[in-house]
């Protein structure tokens, strides 16, 4: 999906409890954004945890058996995204409706919002040109995203963003074999290894992040 952020959108930023006109009548009768997203719906570890919990499928099953996911290079890293069927859009779209709506990825929860990272945090912007329909109804962003443990989730989002940026910047300073080795390690650690669905996601993420940062620090030549 082509990004269509207008300059004026960047001047107005929102906090999670702000009320924003961003709802097009619950998307009734419309699934345009689910059909034309391309490879833009990149999945983070929380998304995978939720998909595993909601579908009862492991990451490997979703990737290889169901073919609902793909892996592409994003900012130098191998990361999964939702697979789009050429004529039907997202693999989880059926009869124009999302079949994984209760555990949909964070990207989908945000739309037509986006995060604007700044000053060691982030705020939200409304991408006014993104939605195919006219936005007429107002909601708070917290309500729109619909995640109960929002503060924990927001802390994770910021942590993952900062970690990815640090790794992406560092990859340019190490050899190609080192890059490939660490890229495979990161994919395995955060995505391929099944999550314990009887435990909260957040401590599991922190455990994996600690191990990955230790592995990263052992790579010579990146500083």
């Amino acid at each position: 999906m082509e990004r269509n952020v207008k300059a004026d959108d960047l001047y107005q930023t929102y906090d999670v409890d702000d009320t924003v006109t961003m709802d097009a009548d619950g998307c009734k009768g419309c699934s345009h954004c689910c059909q034309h997203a391309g490879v833009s719906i990149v999945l983070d570890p929380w998304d995978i945890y939720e998909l595993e919990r909601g579908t009862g499928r492991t990451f490997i099953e979703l990737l290889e058996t169901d073919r609902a996911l793909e892996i592409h290079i994003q900012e130098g890293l191998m990361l999964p995204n939702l697979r789009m069927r050429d004529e039907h859009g997202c693999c989880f779209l059926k009869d124009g409706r999302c079949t994984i709506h209760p555990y949909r990825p964070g990207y989908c929860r945000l739309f037509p919002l986006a995060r604007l990272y700044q000053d060691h945090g982030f705020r939200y912007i409304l991408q006014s040109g993104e939605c195919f329909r006219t936005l007429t109804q107002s909601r708070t962003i917290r309500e729109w995203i619909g995640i109960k443990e929002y503060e924990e989730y927001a802390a994770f989002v910021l942590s993952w963003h900062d970690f990815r940026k640090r790794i992406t910047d560092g990859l340019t300073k190490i050899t190609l074999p080192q890059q490939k080795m660490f890229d495979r390690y990161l994919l395995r650690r955060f995505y391929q290894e099944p999550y314990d669905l009887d435990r909260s996601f957040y401590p599991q993420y922190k455990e994996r992040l600690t191990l990955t940062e230790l592995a990263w620090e052992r790579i010579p030549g990146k500083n």
Side-chain angles (χ1 to χ4, degrees):
M1 179 186 294
E2 182 181 354
R3 301 272 67 83
N4 190 16
V5 180
K6 299 178 181 179
D8 288 346
D9 292 338
L10 299 176
Y11 291 110
Q12 179 64 59
T13 64
Y14 303 95
D15 190 22
V16 68
D17 290 312
D18 288 339
T19 298
V20 183
T21 301
M22 55 186 164
D23 189 348
D25 194 25
C27 305
K28 293 177 182 177
C30 180
S31 57
H32 184 270
C33 61
C34 304
Q35 297 178 16
H36 303 280
V39 298
S40 63
I41 305 182
V42 179
L43 305 174
D44 62 34
W46 182 87
D47 295 328
I48 297 303
Y49 174 89
E50 286 293 295
L51 282 173
E52 290 183 344
R53 185 176 65 85
T55 65
R57 310 288 281 169
T58 66
F59 173 80
I60 296 298
E61 290 172 330
L62 289 167
L63 179 70
E64 298 180 355
T65 305
D66 302 342
R67 297 186 65 243
L69 310 179
E70 297 174 324
I71 295 177
H72 286 88
I73 302 297
Q74 301 283 345
E75 299 178 354
L77 299 176
M78 289 193 298
L79 296 171
N81 59 269
L82 292 183
R83 185 174 74 85
M84 296 290 144
R85 300 163 296 180
D86 291 341
E87 68 278 16
H88 300 295
C90 176
C91 283
F92 292 109
L93 188 67
K94 184 177 181 180
D95 297 328
R97 304 304 290 174
C98 175
T99 61
I100 58 167
H101 196 262
Y103 38 92
R104 64 199 182 280
Y107 178 101
C108 306
R109 290 174 180 273
L110 275 179
F111 187 86
L113 300 170
R115 299 185 191 97
L116 183 63
Y117 293 90
Q118 54 187 12
D119 299 328
H120 307 291
F122 64 84
R123 287 174 64 82
Y124 295 95
I125 60 171
L126 175 63
Q127 302 173 105
S128 59
E130 281 288 271
C131 187
F132 194 65
R133 302 178 67 183
T134 301
L135 305 175
T136 58
Q137 296 171 304
S138 298
R139 310 269 289 277
T140 68
I141 294 177
R142 186 185 296 270
E143 179 186 10
W144 182 252
I145 294 173
I147 296 176
K148 292 181 180 179
E149 314 93 348
Y150 174 81
E151 278 67 30
E152 285 185 286
Y153 175 73
F156 154 71
V157 166
L158 184 58
S159 169
W160 182 243
H161 171 269
D162 291 347
F163 172 72
R164 276 187 54 182
K165 185 177 186 305
R166 187 165 71 253
I167 298 303
T168 298
D169 292 344
L171 285 176
T172 61
K173 303 174 184 178
I174 61 179
T175 67
L176 184 59
Q178 288 174 322
Q179 292 177 27
K180 292 182 177 179
M181 179 184 67
F182 187 77
D183 215 0
R184 289 193 295 268
Y185 176 88
L186 187 148
L187 185 67
R188 182 177 72 254
R189 179 66 70 187
F190 286 107
Y191 295 99
Q192 293 175 330
E193 294 178 4
Y195 286 91
D196 182 350
L197 304 181
D198 291 326
R199 295 179 60 205
S200 169
F201 163 77
Y202 303 106
Q204 295 185 74
Y205 164 72
K206 292 176 182 177
E207 292 162 4
R208 297 182 187 212
L209 179 63
T210 297
L211 291 172
T212 306
E213 288 180 327
L214 289 173
W216 176 248
E217 290 304 318
R218 295 192 187 104
I219 299 176
K222 64 185 178 309
N223 297 319

